[in-house]
Amino acid sequence: MSFRRGVVRQSKFRHVFAQAWKAEHCIDDVRVSRVTWDTGLCAVNPKFIAVIIEAGGGGSFLVVPISKSGRIDQACPTVCGHAAPVLDIQWSPHDDNIIASASEDCTVKVWQIPDGGLTSPMTEPVVNLEGHSKRVGILAWHPTAFNILLTAGCDNVICVWNVGTGELVYQLGDAHPDLIYSVGWNKDGSAICTVCKDKALRVIDPRRGTVLKVKEKVHDGTRPMRAVFLSDGKILTTGFSRMSERQMALWDPKDLSEPMAVQEMDTSNGVLLPFYDPDTNMVYLCGKGDCTIRYFEVTDESPYVHFLSLFSSKEPQRGAGFLSKRGVDVNKCEIARFYKLHERKVEPISMTVPRKSDLFQGDLYPDTAGSEPALLADEWIAGQDAPPLLVSLSGGYSAPPSKHRDPLRSKPKLSSQDSGTGAAPPSAAAAKETEEEVPQPRVATRETDGNSDRPKREEELLNELLAEMKALRAVVLAQSQRIELLERQLARIEDGDV
């Protein structure tokens, strides 16, 4: 890669700073799996960390609360229902207690993890999906439709399941002539992109089972490739050149004749796993066996893919998990967090943007995809598409309370509409409790009727305090904007762009 000094591109992510957490905040004595499969071996959401681990006579993975640190006891319970090693695990984007696992035993299982984590070994899944004839190594939840799960196996077949019913709704058996390396959904879940051992990139409509676009020889090398959809519909791929150099390329599906950009990396052997953040349009490349994590920003300006920096450490990574944006610490301007797998340790690594202001940085945190699905499974199967439902991260994201419901049956808001039950819906019970609580304020009002002037004085004092707070907030906001302007001017002077 070559770097030119001169006109400096303006970007708020040019100074993203990566830092590993202190040793006391790491998770130790985790026997990370040695399986030779090119996945991250780790999945993270705002509640839990899951890591595929070594297991004798079967396959298992560890699930601990995200706040866990320190040593993992060897007697710690695991999810251990597979008959062969686990190859991939993925949390549901719409329920932080639901995780899917794929295994060499040709099955996919879906598990419901209780709040607080496991208290005993979990061997019985809530759903068992059997449809592949060879080992299953790829999982991908639909980004906006509830309970839609895509799986791909070494039988070169892609299956799309309705997890709520356990039904196989679509099967693509003739789209790929060889081993499938990766599968990724686009933003609204209307299409998928795949890369295969035949070196071709395909864009597929999974509901019609039709291949919409094909690009032969995306990368000339014979090593495994990866592909991810970006939020604007472009596709980013990683692979190897004919000379075994690692590459990253950006493609426009409207014209796949030539890549929009190609970045050459190095000649390491590890497959580059891309982790994409649609909110910042940043891509993090994490190679298995590497000691570094590179990160780039994708923009509409040539050369389109801009190298930002890299995080380097002494220990190589066995895999990595990428925390969804709902789980980052907005108070520390953390825009991303990795969980790096060592041989026997899990190490968090935070990506932050240095800011002097303590206020919420709205430019770093646009509204992000929340846990509420935009569609039900049946709606997507019927042909509907919808973008993700967004939530604000101002004030920090708070996970919704645990719902006593069957999370696999329907969208959370519709869970009380299940028919065929004689019990009253939960909303009726909640309404009854509310009615019983309503009289309490009236009693409090009667007790203060003897001193009618007191509420008036309290109201006046409250209005004064609110007005003063509003004025102070306006001053702080103005000063914060002034500080940001001065920081940008200082950065331009330091970079010689004056």
Side-chain angles (χ1 to χ4, degrees), residues 124-293:
E124 291 299 321
V126 288
V127 180
N128 192 48
L129 306 175
E130 297 181 358
H132 290 279
S133 59
K134 293 185 179 179
R135 60 181 180 169
V136 190
I138 298 172
L139 298 169
W141 290 94
H142 193 284
T144 63
F146 194 53
N147 284 339
I148 294 294
L149 175 66
L150 181 148
T151 64
C154 293
D155 51 6
N156 310 335
V157 173
I158 290 177
C159 296
V160 181
W161 307 83
N162 180 351
V163 174
T165 61
E167 178 188 2
L168 175 60
V169 290
Y170 300 107
Q171 189 172 40
L172 289 74
D174 53 2
H176 300 88
D178 212 328
L179 180 66
I180 302 167
Y181 284 142
S182 84
V183 182
W185 294 95
N186 66 351
K187 184 176 181 178
D188 64 0
S190 60
I192 57 174
C193 66
T194 71
V195 282
C196 177
K197 197 172 182 179
D198 66 355
K199 304 180 186 179
L201 166 68
R202 294 172 174 85
V203 179
I204 300 172
D205 182 336
R207 286 175 293 202
R208 290 191 294 165
T210 55
V211 178
L212 306 177
K213 301 275 185 177
V214 180
K215 170 60 181 175
E216 307 289 344
K217 286 197 175 182
V218 179
H219 297 278
D220 290 328
T222 57
R223 301 274 296 145
M225 301 181 293
R226 290 291 182 273
V228 291
F229 261 115
L230 306 187
S231 57
D232 61 359
K234 296 183 180 67
I235 299 173
L236 186 134
T237 62
T238 63
F240 293 78
S241 70
R242 187 180 287 107
M243 303 301 292
S244 295
E245 290 180 312
R246 296 197 292 189
Q247 294 178 322
M248 174 176 62
L250 183 67
W251 303 86
D252 186 350
K254 297 174 185 175
D255 181 11
L256 291 173
S257 58
E258 292 292 333
M260 296 176 64
V262 177
Q263 287 262 8
E264 303 281 347
M265 306 290 171
D266 51 34
T267 54
S268 296
N269 291 326
V271 175
L272 285 170
L273 306 179
F275 297 92
Y276 173 62
D277 179 0
D279 300 332
T280 61
N281 232 29
M282 287 176 62
V283 177
Y284 303 84
L285 298 185
C286 175
K288 295 191 75 171
D290 288 5
C291 298
T292 59
I293 299 174

Side-chain angles (χ1 to χ4, degrees), residues 10-29:
Q10 293 298 311
S11 169
K12 52 181 167 281
F13 302 116
R14 282 179 54 226
H15 303 292
V16 170
F17 176 64
Q19 185 172 29
W21 290 22
K22 294 181 179 178
E24 58 264 30
H25 299 303
C26 296
I27 305 175
D28 298 308
D29 282 354

Side-chain angles (χ1 to χ4, degrees), residues 101-140:
S101 59
S103 168
E104 287 188 3
D105 64 9
C106 308
T107 69
V108 173
K109 300 180 189 294
V110 181
W111 314 83
Q112 184 174 359
I113 308 299
D115 286 334
L118 301 178
T119 55
S120 61
M122 182 173 283
T123 58
E124 291 299 321
V126 288
V127 180
N128 192 48
L129 306 175
E130 297 181 358
H132 290 279
S133 59
K134 293 185 179 179
R135 60 181 180 169
V136 190
I138 298 172
L139 298 169

Side-chain angles (χ1 to χ4, degrees), residues 376-422:
L376 293 174
D378 291 340
E379 292 172 337
W380 181 79
I381 293 168
Q384 294 186 41
D385 294 314
L389 298 181
L390 305 181
V391 295
S392 172
L393 293 178
S394 61
Y397 177 80
S398 57
S402 177
K403 306 172 186 67
H404 298 286
R405 59 181 175 85
D406 180 354
L408 298 173
R409 290 297 163 194
S410 62
K411 193 157 60 172
K413 285 185 177 178
L414 304 179
S415 59
S416 63
Q417 297 178 2
D418 292 342
S419 59
T421 57

Side-chain angles (χ1 to χ4, degrees), residues 430-492:
K432 187 176 180 182
E433 288 179 14
T434 307
E435 289 172 3
E436 292 173 356
E437 292 173 1
V438 166
Q440 292 178 2
R442 294 196 197 106
V443 175
T445 304
R446 289 194 198 101
E447 290 174 355
T448 58
D449 280 345
N451 190 1
S452 59
D453 291 334
R454 184 178 172 185
K456 190 175 181 180
R457 288 198 304 271
E458 287 179 349
E459 185 178 353
E460 289 173 353
L461 181 61
L462 180 61
N463 288 335
E464 289 176 6
L465 288 172
L466 289 173
E468 188 174 352
M469 286 172 62
K470 188 175 181 180
L472 282 171
R473 190 178 290 115
V475 172
V476 171
L477 184 60
Q479 294 299 328
S480 174
Q481 292 171 345
R482 174 65 178 162
I483 289 170
E484 280 189 38
L485 177 63
L486 292 173
E487 285 177 343
R488 285 198 295 269
Q489 291 176 349
L490 180 61
R492 292 177 61 190

